[in-house]
Amino acid sequence: MISSVPPPLRHGPPRPERPRISCVVPALNEHDSLLLLLPEMAELLNQISSAWEIIVVDDGSTDRTPQLMTTYVTSNPGVYYLQLSRNFGKEAALSAGLEVSSGDVVICIDADLQHPLALIPEMLVRWQAGVDTVYAVKRNRDDESWLKRVGASIFYGILGQGQRVRIPPDAGDFRLMDKQVVDALIRLPERTRFMKGLYAWVGFKAEPMLYVPAERLHGQSHFNLLQLIRFAVDGITAFSTWPLRTFNLVGSLIAMLSFCYGSYLVIDYLINGHDISGWTTIVTGMFFFSGINLMALGTMGAYIARIFDEVKQRPLYVVKRNIGQKLPENES
């Protein structure tokens, strides 16, 4: 539980009360939501920032988002539109936005209006107190299905097995980060990026902040079951070798049990002279061990596929066009 008045943490020089802020907004078919989000965000940033930019990263939208942003940036200084050549995925869109950001503070927020803007000033207060990353954590998962809650629990349980890097459960991409944290993220060379793990891997002082997601006003989630499974596989293969170690342990255990059972049959035959039979046992055992072998090969294949993607060294994304006004680089 987070205390209502967190203790001060500041070490070193004080941070500015009105910093330069970059907001990274990945968007996929979010035309209607962006119409509401952008004016509200600009109004808030005018109150808390000395200079700001809103970076909208269009991850291959097929609705009217490109037309909206083309006209919007011409009459709204501080809004920058980065259009990718196709849908590369949210992790790539976030990375694209982080790479072009130049604020003292960078805020990642979804375009679907479920992340409350009112939380941003509170995050900024914690940054001024010395926290490098403030990440929003869902207070509960009551709005999700039972299957998704169980899957999330298993997923984070696997990621937490024997790893030096602790990835906070229920933490999403809604977060405020110091420029030093962003620079560290940009230097990471992975092509298959699992951002929740990378946020934790770079370290720095991080602090959670509880929130309740707002109802989605427009559109629907772009993650279906298969995409969530793929996302989980990417996360596990990027930040855990636990599945490989598990099959190593299972193989050793089965071999030991098989040796003991075989020894028992031989001794029983030598003592009692019983015929060694059991065609059904043999066939059942063959199917069982074949299944175990195929599961192990599939697990190894997932890690090998990740290696295959990395060694190709393809760019993480391709930019189709970029228009609008960016925040000038800080010369200080």
Side-chain angles (χ1 to χ4, degrees):
M1 197 61 188
I2 304 171
S3 61
S4 57
V5 183
L9 299 168
R10 181 179 297 161
H11 300 287
R15 289 170 171 173
E17 292 186 5
R18 292 173 59 86
R20 293 155 44 91
I21 297 179
S22 299
C23 288
V24 176
V25 185
L28 175 61
N29 297 331
E30 297 286 0
H31 172 274
D32 295 338
S33 297
L34 287 170
L35 277 175
L36 299 176
L37 175 67
L38 294 177
E40 292 182 15
M41 184 177 290
E43 181 180 355
L44 174 64
L45 293 175
N46 281 324
Q47 299 172 11
I48 64 175
S49 175
S50 61
W52 54 268
E53 64 182 354
I54 301 174
I55 303 168
V56 178
V57 185
D58 184 352
D59 189 25
S61 294
T62 56
D63 64 353
R64 293 175 295 157
T65 297
Q67 293 86 340
L68 166 67
M69 295 307 304
T70 300
T71 57
Y72 195 91
V73 297
T74 58
S75 56
N76 293 272
V79 180
Y80 185 72
Y81 178 55
L82 192 66
Q83 185 181 21
L84 305 186
S85 61
R86 64 170 176 84
N87 177 243
F88 287 89
K90 186 180 180 182
E91 313 293 284
L94 281 169
S95 299
L98 293 178
E99 287 189 11
V100 300
S101 65
S102 55
D104 304 320
V105 168
V106 179
I107 299 168
C108 296
I109 186 169
D110 288 351
D112 57 13
L113 301 172
Q114 292 191 285
H115 293 159
L117 295 179
L119 219 60
I120 292 177
E122 299 179 36
M123 290 178 167
L124 192 60
V125 169
R126 298 308 300 148
W127 175 79
Q128 291 162 346
V131 181
D132 298 307
T133 298
V134 184
Y135 57 92
V137 177
K138 287 184 179 182
R139 189 176 294 274
N140 56 61
R141 288 180 170 266
D142 294 343
D143 59 330
E144 298 177 355
S145 66
W146 174 84
L147 180 61
K148 190 173 181 180
R149 290 199 300 268
V150 171
S153 177
I154 295 173
F155 171 66
Y156 285 107
I158 293 175
L159 287 183
Q161 292 295 322
Q163 300 300 308
R164 289 179 294 177
V165 178
R166 181 184 177 274
I167 301 175
D170 303 326
D173 295 309
F174 182 27
R175 60 186 60 224
L176 179 148
M177 295 177 287
D178 185 81
K179 181 60 176 174
Q180 191 177 11
V181 179
V182 175
D183 290 340
L185 287 168
I186 292 172
R187 289 196 298 269
L188 298 178
E190 283 98 326
R191 296 305 192 271
T192 307
R193 297 175 78 84
F194 177 63
M195 293 301 296
K196 292 180 179 63
L198 297 181
Y199 294 139
W201 188 90
V202 296
F204 298 95
K205 176 59 182 176
E207 186 176 278
M209 185 170 287
L210 298 179
Y211 83 108
V212 178
E215 291 290 333
R216 189 182 181 100
L217 298 178
H218 302 286
Q220 58 185 2
S221 174
H222 302 292
F223 280 97
N224 55 38
L225 180 60
L226 290 178
Q227 288 173 317
L228 288 173
I229 292 175
R230 180 179 177 182
F231 178 75
V233 170
D234 285 343
I236 291 171
T237 55
F239 282 90
S240 177
T241 57
W242 182 81
L244 294 176
R245 297 198 306 271
T246 298
F247 277 110
N248 185 28
L249 178 63
V250 169
S252 300
L253 181 61
I254 290 176
M256 186 180 301
L257 291 175
S258 299
F259 177 79
C260 293
Y261 182 61
S263 300
Y264 163 75
L265 291 178
V266 171
I267 293 173
D268 183 56
Y269 175 75
L270 293 176
I271 295 176
N272 300 316
H274 294 160
D275 293 335
I276 300 177
S277 60
W279 184 87
T280 304
T281 304
I282 293 174
V283 171
T284 303
M286 288 178 60
F287 277 114
F288 175 73
F289 294 130
S290 296
I292 293 292
N293 286 334
L294 289 174
M295 289 173 62
L297 286 173
T299 303
M300 293 175 61
Y303 284 89
I304 294 172
R306 183 174 180 84
I307 297 171
F308 177 65
D309 285 336
E310 294 295 329
V311 299
K312 287 185 289 189
Q313 295 289 295
R314 289 176 182 168
L316 188 58
Y317 57 86
V318 177
V319 176
K320 182 177 181 180
R321 62 170 175 160
N322 51 312
I323 54 176
Q325 180 179 333
K326 273 188 88 285
L327 186 65
E329 294 288 341
N330 196 344
E331 298 179 357
S332 59

